[in-house]
Amino acid sequence: MAVDRNYFQTKTSGDKKNQHKGETGPTMVGDEYSDSALMNYLGARKTTMLGNNFSEYHVDEPPRVILDKLEQAGYRVVSMTGVGQTLVWCLHKDTL
Amino acid sequence: MAVDRNYFQTKTSGDKKNQHKGETGPTMVGDEYSDSALMNYLGARKTTMLGNNFSEYHVDEPPRVILDKLEQAGYRVVSMTGVGQTLVWCLHKDTL
Amino acid sequence: MAVDRNYFQTKTSGDKKNQHKGETGPTMVGDEYSDSALMNYLGARKTTMLGNNFSEYHVDEPPRVILDKLEQAGYRVVSMTGVGQTLVWCLHKDTL
Amino acid sequence: MAVDRNYFQTKTSGDKKNQHKGETGPTMVGDEYSDSALMNYLGARKTTMLGNNFSEYHVDEPPRVILDKLEQAGYRVVSMTGVGQTLVWCLHKDTL
Amino acid sequence: MAVDRNYFQTKTSGDKKNQHKGETGPTMVGDEYSDSALMNYLGARKTTMLGNNFSEYHVDEPPRVILDKLEQAGYRVVSMTGVGQTLVWCLHKDTL
């Protein structure tokens, strides 16, 4: 079954020592299930962190800049939340 | 009284050691009150964790993929939040 | 001054040992300011916890089931959040 | 520059020992920048906590009752979140 | 590629000792990617914290006052969340 990719999730992580760090990026914008054309549009690089058996896409820009780019691709923020020291955005694209 | 199942809740849990783990799944998509046809549509398996006296449904895919499938079934994200190391989505389906 | 009861708050509490427990209920659906007809509709029981000088209403069902019942009574979820180990929903009813 | 006061913030704080306490009030509804007519409408009292060099407005009622009153004054909840043991609501009023 | 700046993020930080402090400001309203005209409109000052290799913009007013000003500039709150002791707002401006 083909499923449109209408939901998008992005996040940035601070750390307890430097709560401000996360806001300047990097921003995590995808994983191995992500649309590679969209990852390319965002200029994201694919990385596999040591000890992980899965890949992620990151960009160096802060989340707000990524949200602006994603809006041009049709996505809008539905909700934002914090979990631990990480700030997460859930975006959605309407496909009429 | 019969009540339509218009609200849907899904969640994924990371852990402190590996904050990224939860995003690759598994994703918890239901419990014993859930609509079994919908659980079937999502390809969820029913499990009972050791020491629990209730069942849950899980899928191996990450939450974003599940959100896309749920949208095809008529659900849209209302809100997302973090509680502890767990990320929770609340979805709603309009029944006109 | 009479004020319509257009906002509704419900919550469920997990605990650190068993993060899943809260999702099977019980769900807290009201306090002594709540509309008793609505509490009755939800099948809630009034309880006073030891050491508290105020009452609360609880139901045994998980939050999602309560959200469905509340929707039939005209309420819709505005926002959901986590505070500590507790998941809280804020609902609203339009009165035209 | 005169700025309309279209955003409103209210909050209530529990504590770790008694997570339920905050829900019965008191509720913090304003600070020294707040509209005193609105504070008066809510029946709020101005207080300065020991050791603080700023004032706050509180009411004894729980947040849900305050949200209902605020709706009559034109405000609606935009978002709710938890930060520490505190539950915070962000409300907005349309001025056409 | 030129990207409109339609998303705006602002935040305020309390601390564990004095949870109320953050609400009186200062409020963080931007970073080096921010629109300097908008920063100027808000009366923000640019600062670089000791040990950081990036700049931020702050204002002395509490978040609610800033949200009101931002609304006059076309922004509306999409979501608010807490992460650690910090309260974060995500705003969006429609560009027709």
Side-chain angles (χ1 to χ4, degrees), chain B residues 39-96:
Chain B
M39 293 299 107
N40 201 43
Y41 162 73
L42 295 173
R45 61 179 187 283
K46 196 174 188 177
T47 50
T48 305
M49 288 178 68
L50 195 66
N52 283 351
N53 59 345
F54 56 90
S55 306
E56 291 183 337
Y57 286 93
H58 290 89
V59 293
D60 286 327
E61 292 156 305
R64 202 191 60 243
V65 175
I66 301 305
L67 296 181
D68 280 340
K69 282 188 177 173
L70 285 168
E71 186 178 39
Q72 296 213 330
Y75 291 91
R76 298 192 66 152
V77 171
V78 175
S79 195
M80 169 185 68
T81 195
V83 56
Q85 297 295 317
T86 301
L87 211 47
V88 186
W89 289 261
C90 176
L91 297 97
H92 179 261
K93 181 177 70 174
D94 270 322
T95 48
L96 301 184

Side-chain angles (χ1 to χ4, degrees), chain D residues 5-74:
Chain D
R5 295 173 190 178
N6 291 336
Y7 279 100
F8 191 94
Q9 189 174 316
T10 184
K11 65 170 188 171
T12 187
S13 296
D15 54 69
K16 293 200 177 177
K17 282 195 184 162
N18 183 355
Q19 287 198 28
H20 296 282
K21 191 190 158 202
E23 290 175 41
T24 58
T27 303
M28 188 274 211
V29 295
D31 53 48
E32 42 208 311
Y33 292 82
S34 294
D35 178 354
S36 58
L38 189 54
M39 292 299 107
N40 201 45
Y41 162 73
L42 294 174
R45 62 179 186 281
K46 196 175 188 176
T47 50
T48 306
M49 288 178 69
L50 194 67
N52 283 351
N53 59 346
F54 56 90
S55 305
E56 292 183 337
Y57 286 93
H58 289 88
V59 293
D60 286 328
E61 293 156 306
R64 201 192 61 242
V65 175
I66 300 305
L67 296 182
D68 281 340
K69 282 188 177 173
L70 285 168
E71 186 178 39
Q72 297 214 329

